[in-house]
Amino acid sequence: MKLEELRHGTELLKRGFASMQKGGVIMDVVNASQAAIAEQAGAVAVMALERVPADIRKAGGVARMADPAIVLEIMDAVSIPVMAKVRIGHFVEAQVLESLGVDMIDESEVLTPADEQFHIDKKQFSIPFVCGARDLGEALRRIQEGAAMVRTKGEAGTGNVVEAVRHMRNINGEIRALQGRTPQEIADRARDLEAPADLLLETVKRGRLPVVNFSAGGIATPSDAAMMMQMGADGVFVGSGIFLSAHPEKMARAIVEAVNHFDDPAAIAEASKGLGEPMKGIDVHTLKEGEVLQYRGR
Amino acid sequence: MGVRIGVLALQGDVSEHIDAFRNAVRTFGSERSVVVAPVKKPEEIIDLDALAIPGGESTTISRLIEKNNLFDPLIGFEGGIFATCAGMVVMAASVDDPRVHPLGLMDYKVIRNAFGRQRESFEADIAISGLDRPFHAVFIRAPVAEHPGNGIKVLGSITEGIVALEQGRFMALSFHPELGHDPRLHIRFLKNCKLL
């Protein structure tokens, strides 16, 4: 095999990587020992962070990419893929993570945005990106920019699943509503959604987003995770919900179990037994303007 | 009698495997009816003619095989097994990582993530013995095999190691034919199992 015939960083490799995560749970971790617990529990990947989203909320100030030393420590600790977050639009943080060799970058509203006009031009990178979305237009704009995976934004760090549910309904409900429409009608709707018409046509034809769609932002229990799966998520991200619960190891295993058996209530019940206190949640209606993370980026 | 093909639906690119088998059967043509469906319970596996173990995370799939009491039913399974990437890791006799407990159905050793991380993932045209022209292969954080035992036929190798093997009703691949549109390896597997 000649070296020059190898192709790296293609769209197929990026989307293919995301496909390998399907049916899985991706867990936020802040150090090597948490990463090992996540892997042992059956996580398909970990998200390397300096603080979980609920602690980012508490800390306030500007939230940035994690210290590369923490990311490297976590990469050394596990054999599953390691992801890490960059600020919306911060292409140099993304270059830094790419140089470290992380497997996927999350361009995330959980961190303080660096650019209020543009997201990162993700096609310039050889590693795949995941981006948050609240509705179909936002999801398709991110895919147009090169995102290989989409996740609902939900409302991170609240332990409250209500916004993740809203965003999943927005995305899948819109796709269902467009079934049977003519290409002309779909192109017209694309203008309202501020989405590329060709991507919207492809989405309606497939009856789903053209990339893997996970749920994130407020999942705190096995039942939360299974509900998002029943609503059509390809997998889930769990942020603060594991390591801010009373028994992280048990909670991690239970959520993996619930995602695996998302359509089997008896199995979800079994997985949910004796987990102790889940993370303490926040009613999203009590958040002040400026504390709502999902409005970052559009 | 119709043909029943299952895709082990614990985690990974299950729908891609289902589509790829349907595409292979459609391309080659079959006089028998062929049903392809996701499976995850021991009682769903026993009557299958063939089973695919998909790509995904091998540590996760390995853990879920044990958790779902599938280890012994898979070892005792009498149909064909088509395994890609994580599936190839799970089929091996031994793995370079104690986090995975392989089924030991095929006699080779497997090295996980043999090429490195996602940025080292690649696409390439590789020669596969028995195919008239190269196969466009997609390697994603792929494993390689080494030390194949007696009775194992090596179908393809690259510098880093063995990437395709078969043994009777089993086929194990480092790469992901289910992500492309070339059905030749699926057709070959189904013929090996006398299902086409």
Side-chain angles (χ1 to χ4, degrees):
Chain A
M1 188 172 56
K2 295 187 201 88
L3 218 56
E4 62 268 27
E5 286 168 6
L6 290 185
R7 291 199 293 148
H8 293 281
T10 63
E11 207 51 42
L12 180 59
L13 290 167
K14 292 175 179 178
R15 290 186 183 190
F17 170 81
S19 290
M20 298 310 145
Q21 306 292 306
K22 287 196 299 180
V25 182
I26 300 170
M27 302 182 190
D28 280 4
V29 298
V30 301
N31 56 42
S33 70
Q34 288 187 355
I37 290 171
E39 183 176 53
Q40 198 63 40
V44 287
V46 291
M47 179 74 68
L49 289 162
E50 220 162 292
R51 294 189 182 93
V52 294
D55 290 337
I56 290 175
R57 275 184 188 284
K58 266 188 227 155
V62 175
R64 310 180 179 89
M65 172 186 79
D67 182 335
I70 293 178
V71 178
L72 288 170
E73 175 194 318
I74 290 166
M75 285 166 62
D76 279 343
V78 292
S79 66
I80 54 178
V82 175
M83 307 181 178
K85 289 184 193 291
V86 300
R87 287 179 263 178
I88 289 172
H90 207 314
F91 53 88
V92 173
E93 285 187 346
Q95 291 165 3
V96 169
L97 291 182
E98 184 178 45
S99 81
L100 296 180
V102 305
D103 295 290
M104 182 176 244
I105 293 174
D106 183 2
E107 185 180 20
S108 176
E109 70 284 359
V110 169
L111 305 182
T112 310
D115 188 329
E116 295 192 328
Q117 191 172 5
F118 292 105
H119 278 69
I120 295 170
D121 179 3
K122 293 166 271 288
K123 291 185 173 157
Q124 301 300 317
F125 289 79
S126 64
I127 56 173
F129 278 72
V130 54
C131 288
R134 285 168 302 164
D135 54 44
L136 185 56
E138 202 173 346
L140 295 179
R141 288 194 293 278
R142 297 294 87 80
I143 294 167
Q144 173 79 5
E145 292 159 0
M149 180 175 180
V150 167
R151 56 172 174 77
T152 59
K153 282 182 169 173
E155 189 55 36
T158 61
N160 188 338
V161 79
V162 66
E163 295 301 302
V165 167
R166 189 190 318 281
H167 300 160
M168 193 56 80
R169 286 202 193 287
N170 282 347
I171 292 171
N172 291 341
E174 181 79 43
I175 296 170
R176 279 192 295 272
L178 290 171
Q179 296 301 318
R181 302 282 189 92
T182 66
Q184 206 175 15
E185 289 166 337
I186 292 167
D188 183 56
R189 185 68 186 135
R191 279 189 290 276
D192 297 336
L193 292 172
E194 299 179 53
D198 55 339
L199 272 180
L200 185 61
L201 270 166
E202 185 190 347
T203 301
V204 174
K205 202 172 150 194
R206 289 183 187 225
R208 57 155 298 142
L209 285 179
V211 302
V212 168
N213 182 22
F214 268 46
S215 183
I219 295 166
T221 67
S223 294
D224 287 351
M227 177 161 75
M228 298 318 302
M229 294 299 289
Q230 286 196 27
M231 288 179 66
D234 293 314
V236 301
F237 284 88
V238 186
S240 321
I242 290 171
F243 288 98
L244 293 186
S245 72
H247 302 291
E249 217 165 324
K250 279 190 194 167
M251 184 62 86
R253 282 173 195 276
I255 291 180
V256 170
E257 202 67 12
V259 167
N260 185 221
H261 294 290
F262 68 87
D263 52 0
D264 180 350
I268 300 165
E270 189 57 39
S272 304
K273 284 181 186 164
L275 297 179
E277 275 291 296
M279 71 177 281
K280 184 165 162 42
I282 301 174
D283 179 352
V284 292
H285 300 292
T286 64
L287 292 175
K288 295 189 199 75
E289 209 188 323
E291 292 176 344
V292 183
L293 303 179
Q294 61 179 281
Y295 299 145
R296 294 168 166 181
R298 61 166 299 287
Chain B
M1 261 298 269
V3 175
R4 293 158 45 84
I5 302 170
V7 178
L8 192 63
L10 299 175
Q11 191 273 317
D13 66 336
V14 176
S15 65
E16 287 82 349
H17 273 271
I18 293 173
D19 292 346
F21 269 108
R22 287 182 180 153
N23 176 46
V25 171
R26 203 167 38 237
T27 307
F28 190 80
S30 172
E31 286 173 6
R32 301 159 75 185
S33 70
V34 180
V35 177
V36 190
V39 293
K40 62 173 142 188
K41 294 187 179 139
E43 62 269 25
E44 293 170 332
I45 288 172
I46 195 153
D47 293 331
L48 296 172
D49 297 296
L51 176 73
I53 305 180
E57 280 310 313
S58 53
T59 48
T60 306
I61 293 176
S62 171
R63 191 177 171 277
L64 291 173
I65 284 174
E66 295 189 344
K67 188 81 192 168
N68 288 290
N69 301 316
L70 286 164
F71 200 87
D72 291 331
L74 286 172
I75 288 177
F77 179 61
E78 290 176 356
I81 299 183
F82 183 85
T84 71
C85 197
M88 171 173 164
V89 174
V90 169
M91 287 291 279
S94 68
V95 181
D96 66 334
D97 188 329
R99 286 172 276 211
V100 179
H101 184 191
L103 296 167
L105 284 169
M106 290 176 80
D107 184 13
Y108 57 81
K109 182 181 182 211
V110 78
I111 313 293
R112 294 177 66 219
N113 304 333
F115 303 88
R117 310 193 69 93
Q118 172 62 14
R119 67 180 173 196
E120 278 83 44
S121 293
F122 64 97
E123 297 179 42
D125 292 327
I126 60 169
I128 298 282
S129 94
L131 295 184
D132 52 350
R133 60 199 155 75
F135 193 91
H136 187 73
V138 180
F139 292 85
I140 297 175
R141 288 172 48 95
V144 296
E146 54 184 36
H147 307 308
N150 288 335
I152 292 213
K153 189 171 169 191
V154 173
L155 298 180
S157 297
I158 59 177
T159 320
E160 289 79 1
I162 298 166
V163 297
L165 316 92
E166 77 180 7
Q167 181 174 30
R169 59 195 171 94
F170 297 145
M171 185 180 284
L173 308 167
S174 295
F175 50 92
H176 296 280
E178 74 278 10
L179 292 180
H181 301 286
D182 186 341
R184 289 179 294 163
L185 284 169
H186 287 82
I187 291 171
R188 177 189 175 120
F189 165 76
L190 292 171
K191 281 184 172 173
N192 288 348
C193 299
K194 309 205 165 22
L195 298 172
L196 275 184

